[in-house]
């Protein structure tokens, strides 16, 4: 049985911060019923779907898996249709900080999460890192592959959505810039925990998140599927790691063609021996 519905229920439930028991109570079914849906052993009754969609704050189409993936990535697919590279081809300044903290001499295994058009992944690969990178947008990955080919860089690109994908192999460095605001609060501990579990001892996480500030309103605040973080929240998930560097700053942005400002928290954390 295809368990797309079950996976959607699980992700949406976690995104709302609900336990299986709480969801069961809200839609008037047993806890066992919710467990069976998520495990793929049964499907929700048609009569329950409207109530489920209401509680999980989605459409029935999204719940069934018909439109959820498309709606999550449509805006970036549209941006990536244009000629050239929407985000440019110059690497983030974070890449240079990674090189200082984890030089490429031993060809560290690096994962670029939600890599977009690949500028950072290609930079790392050109400089001696063993790079794996994924993104949900197929057009972005197409451009990333062309960028890698033009640079003579080898990158293992694949398509996946960070809300659904979980690691099952180990990396030395996990890098993610400008994408973690797509993770709803209820999924953050699970996803970051999965990344931490599959990071080698002494490994490095380099991450940033957009932070919610009442005095800053940006165009992205009005778009569905974006969830800004609370100031300092990212750092709290790394209380057991060595925080090599962290900062919060406000910067100007022209993304989307409208001048605005963002507040961002940035973290470089090292996994310690226990």
């Amino acid at each position: 049985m295809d368990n797309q519905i079950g996976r959607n229920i699980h992700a949406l439930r976690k995104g709302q911060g609900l336990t299986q028991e709480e969801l069961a109570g809200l839609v008037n079914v047993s806890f066992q019923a919710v467990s069976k849906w998520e495990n793929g052993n049964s499907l929700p009754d048609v009569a329950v779907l409207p109530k489920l969609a209401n509680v999980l704050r989605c459409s029935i189409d999204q719940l069934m898996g018909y439109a959820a993936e498309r709606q999550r990535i449509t805006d970036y697919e549209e941006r990536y249709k244009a000629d050239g590279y929407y985000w440019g081809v110059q690497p983030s300044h974070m890449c240079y900080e990674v090189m200082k903290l984890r030089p490429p001499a031993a060809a560290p295994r690096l994962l670029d999460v939600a890599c977009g058009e690949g500028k950072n992944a290609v930079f790392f690969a050109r400089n001696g890192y063993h790079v794996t990178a994924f993104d949900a947008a197929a057009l972005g990955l197409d451009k990333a592959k062309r960028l890698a080919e033009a640079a003579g860089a080898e990158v293992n690109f694949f398509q996946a959505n960070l809300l659904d994908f979980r690691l099952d192999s180990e990396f030395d460095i996990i890098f993610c810039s400008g994408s973690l605001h797509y993770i709803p609060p209820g999924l953050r501990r699970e996803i970051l925990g999965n990344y931490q579990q599959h990071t080698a001892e002494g490994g490095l996480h380099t991450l940033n998140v957009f932070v919610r500030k009442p005095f800053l309103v940006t165009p992205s605040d009005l778009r569905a599927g974006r969830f800004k973080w609370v100031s300092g929240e990212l750092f709290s998930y790394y209380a057991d790691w060595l925080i090599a560097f962290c900062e919060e700053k406000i910067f100007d942005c022209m993304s989307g063609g409208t001048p605005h400002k963002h507040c961002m928290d940035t973290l470089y954390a090292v996994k310690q021996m226990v």
Side-chain angles (χ1 to χ4, degrees):
M1 179 185 297
D2 182 6
N3 192 30
Q4 183 63 54
I5 297 175
R7 290 193 294 270
N8 288 343
I9 291 173
H10 173 80
L12 291 164
R13 172 179 65 78
K14 298 286 277 187
Q16 296 298 325
L18 297 172
T19 64
Q20 289 184 336
E21 292 89 343
E22 289 169 336
L23 177 59
L26 290 170
V27 298
N28 297 319
V29 299
S30 68
F31 153 68
Q32 290 85 354
V34 175
S35 179
K36 287 180 179 179
W37 297 340
E38 295 189 357
N39 290 329
N41 295 323
S42 68
L43 297 173
D45 188 272
V46 172
V48 178
L49 290 178
K51 194 176 296 184
L52 260 178
N54 182 58
V55 169
L56 297 175
R57 301 181 185 179
C58 67
S59 68
I60 293 177
D61 278 350
Q62 287 176 304
L63 193 63
M64 299 291 287
Y66 298 137
E69 185 70 16
R70 185 179 305 114
Q71 290 180 358
R72 282 200 293 263
I73 65 174
T74 294
D75 56 347
Y76 282 107
E77 292 284 13
E78 289 299 318
R79 297 179 194 187
Y80 296 156
K81 285 180 180 178
D83 293 336
Y85 283 77
Y86 182 82
W87 301 112
V89 296
Q90 295 303 311
S92 163
H93 69 91
M94 293 169 64
C95 297
Y96 297 98
E97 297 303 319
V98 169
M99 292 188 72
K100 294 176 186 177
L101 291 167
R102 288 294 179 275
R109 300 160 296 177
L110 183 146
L111 175 68
D112 187 355
V113 175
C115 65
E117 298 165 298
K119 64 177 186 177
N120 297 320
V122 170
F123 171 84
F124 283 123
R126 289 182 64 187
N127 283 280
Y129 295 83
H130 184 72
V131 181
T132 300
F134 73 87
D135 198 90
L139 290 179
L141 287 174
D142 288 343
K143 287 188 171 183
K145 292 173 183 176
R146 292 199 295 271
L147 186 65
E149 183 177 1
E154 184 176 344
V155 180
N156 175 28
F157 288 111
F158 66 95
Q159 186 174 12
N161 190 289
L162 84 166
L163 297 183
D164 307 320
F165 178 71
R166 300 294 181 271
L167 299 182
D168 58 10
S169 58
E170 189 174 80
F171 290 90
D172 301 300
I173 302 167
I174 292 183
F175 179 96
C176 184
S177 178
S179 299
L180 294 181
H181 58 291
Y182 287 100
I183 304 177
L187 282 178
R188 289 172 185 170
R189 185 167 299 280
E190 177 191 344
I191 291 175
L192 291 180
N194 172 256
Y195 294 171
Q196 292 170 355
Q197 180 184 355
H198 291 89
T199 300
E201 297 291 347
L204 174 70
H205 280 198
T206 298
L207 313 168
N208 61 28
V209 295
F210 292 107
V211 174
R212 184 185 313 113
K213 295 292 186 182
F215 52 85
L216 292 178
V217 178
T218 66
S220 62
D221 293 337
L222 305 177
R223 296 175 186 160
R226 289 162 171 79
F227 309 91
K228 285 189 173 180
W229 293 54
V230 175
S231 182
E233 179 187 356
L234 175 63
F235 312 145
S236 71
Y237 290 108
Y238 288 84
D240 295 333
W241 288 41
L242 173 65
I243 297 181
F245 176 77
C246 63
E247 71 169 355
E248 178 171 287
K249 68 177 182 179
I250 293 172
F251 64 95
D252 295 315
C253 183
M254 279 294 296
S255 175
T258 303
H260 56 279
K261 294 179 182 290
H262 287 294
C263 182
M264 179 167 275
D265 282 3
T266 301
L267 171 73
Y268 301 82
V270 181
K271 186 173 182 177
Q272 300 298 293
M273 294 287 291
V274 178

